[in-house]
Amino acid sequence: MTDAELYKKCQEYGGNARMWSRKFAALLPEVEKRRLYLKYGFYSIYEFAAKLSGMGRSTVDEVLRTYKKVENKPLLKAEIEKQGWGKVRAVARLLPIESEEVLVNLVRTLPKNALEQTARELS
């Protein structure tokens, strides 16, 4: 395998890992709601997330907190799976100020650092 082939595989696998991590995070609120982790012998949602995806306690807390902030905003909830919970978390505090459509557009077009700066400026 050449260096270029190895690098290409690293890019592919890394991109897939991020995609699957976002998809897993999107399932956590429903897992918590149903207490599914108990049914399968896990002590807590934290143990469930750690053993199945390697997700840490603080990340689980942030994912669940972000979902709670946007629970009545279906467009933003959908963006968590597509763009990641960190980007949605950055704009969630703007919900009382901006419309959901505007925030979704920001999440889709801006990188996370720019989102955080924009949120600070608008709040």
Side-chain angles (χ1 to χ4, degrees):
M1 179 183 315
T2 67
D3 287 350
E5 292 170 335
L6 177 61
Y7 180 69
K8 186 170 174 79
K9 281 191 181 288
C10 288
Q11 284 182 313
E12 178 186 351
Y13 294 171
N16 288 341
R18 286 189 302 272
M19 175 191 66
W20 288 112
S21 178
R22 286 191 301 266
K23 288 181 180 288
F24 181 84
L27 299 174
L28 286 178
E30 189 65 23
V31 168
E32 183 182 45
K33 180 180 169 187
R34 296 183 190 190
R35 299 173 59 93
L36 186 70
Y37 52 90
L38 294 174
K39 181 178 179 181
Y40 288 94
F42 295 97
Y43 178 73
S44 67
I45 186 109
Y46 304 110
E47 181 186 13
F48 177 87
K51 288 189 175 176
L52 294 182
S53 77
M55 192 176 284
R57 183 181 195 93
S58 61
T59 303
V60 171
D61 285 339
E62 286 296 324
V63 167
L64 294 175
R65 198 171 309 136
T66 301
Y67 265 96
K68 188 167 221 117
K69 288 179 182 178
V70 298
E71 66 187 344
N72 297 324
K73 307 293 183 196
L75 298 175
L76 278 172
K77 279 174 69 173
E79 289 305 309
I80 291 175
E81 187 174 334
K82 294 175 190 170
Q83 301 291 327
W85 60 269
K87 288 180 82 174
V88 173
R89 180 190 68 188
V91 298
R93 65 176 156 187
L94 299 176
L95 281 169
I97 302 168
E98 295 290 339
S99 72
E100 182 180 12
E101 292 79 17
V102 169
L103 296 178
V104 167
N105 187 41
L106 289 174
V107 168
R108 288 181 181 164
T109 57
L110 295 177
K112 185 179 172 195
N113 290 339
L115 280 173
E116 290 170 347
Q117 183 176 358
T118 301
R120 279 192 300 272
E121 290 171 3
L122 292 175
S123 59

